[in-house]
Amino acid sequence: MNQTTMAIVKGRLCPNFYARLLNILLFFLLFTALTANRVTAQGTRPASGIAVGQAVPAGVWVYPSHAFLTDSLASPIRLNAYRGKLILLDFWATYCVPCIAGFPKMKSLQQQYQHDLQIILVNNEAVARASTFLQKRKDEHGEAFTAIVADTLLNNTFPHRTIPHYVWIGRDGRVLAITGEEELEEAKLLQALAGEGSAFINKKNIDPALPLFSSADFPTDALQKYSLLTKGRVSGLASGTQFRKAKSGALVGRAFTNTGFFSLYSTIARQLQRALEQRFSDQQIRYIGANKAGFLQDTYNYEFVVPERLSAQLYPMMLDDLNTYSPYVATFKTEKNNCLILERTITAGRPLNHDGGDSLEKGTDQEGAINLKNVPVDALADRLENLAWNSLPVIDKTGISERISVRIDTKGNLQEVNAGLGPYGLRLRPAKKKITMMVISDQATKPTLYKPR
């Protein structure tokens, strides 16, 4: 008998074949009604699903989901077993760092409110992958969660694009709130236990493929120019960037979501300097304003789109736009600065292109080693620049155009790195050179007003 269609209640089979058949038919009809693409951290536009204030459908309560119980024999979970408690569905994935970071808080809340609260982890990855991960968390951290794995039903019932994703189901069986991790706090939990959901900031299900914060009816094909800048993190949007392209394939815009201005200006500076065939790095950015913490930590959402005829000017226009409307002004300056010069020496014991292949492949990078295979020399400069002990820009003066392969076993200081570079005929040399810097300052407190002539 197929175990996934077997109804098990407290270890006993249903009394007769017809009851089982009725359950199977019910679940089949439920799946038919809720059919949708499987939702991951950032997928295509999902259906609206069950909204805040609506009751969870009857079929969802009784469906036997595939369970992983770290403290007992794994048997199908039915939400109905926890009806009358506050149920918190925690949608997560083994690759989601913020999801895992929330586990200790989840463990503490479950232990403290075990009589009134049931936390259920919901994962739609393969059974073996999720179960192995959960077992390891139990062994190492004592987290014995009730969990549903290989799920499709709940992901389709409560569709989402980003994780962590939390669904709060009240004692009355209605959805109290649908939130991100920022709402996971004890004060909000106590309100939810009291049946109060109005204090929650619910998660927005935003489609980043559309112009930010617009509706599905937005006339994207007719869009000529678009610019938007908001301050503050928006739950429902992942941190990252989206490329806007015309039908011809030309890049006409970029959207940055839940991103800081350091990353914004870094992206623009790299593109502008690349157009000049110059390498640019984060070490060439200097903030000279009054609020360094805000510059580095505040998050924004920004989108800028230009007509296709101006696509070649996208990044210069983007910089002008930010310099006008953002809290900051960025300018390029040539200054004499301390740096490290990556250069060739006279002799080399090893060829620079050893172990090279036809495709770009970065090595696995063991602890304490740099292992690069078949990469541009800029990739080596990037790695050297990001070493823990280094705060200086690395300037490539090797003149190497072909791909290289380099392994450095120890990289704890400049001497160790040069010992590893030496056999390849390379070295890092401290110097003071004129280099291009992006200098960022605060906007003037009193803007210059337009005066008609």
Side-chain angles (χ1 to χ4, degrees), residues 8 10 91 121 168 184 208 230 296 299 338 388 396 429:
I8 302 177
K10 295 184 179 178
F91 293 83
L121 305 189
W168 306 68
L184 188 64
T230 69
L296 294 176
T299 57
N338 291 321
D396 173 29
R429 177 174 58 85

Side-chain angles (χ1 to χ4, degrees), residues 191-210:
Q191 290 176 321
L193 287 172
E196 178 58 55
S198 61
F200 284 93
I201 299 175
N202 287 294
K203 190 176 181 183
K204 294 177 172 59
N205 199 9
I206 299 171
D207 187 347
L210 293 173

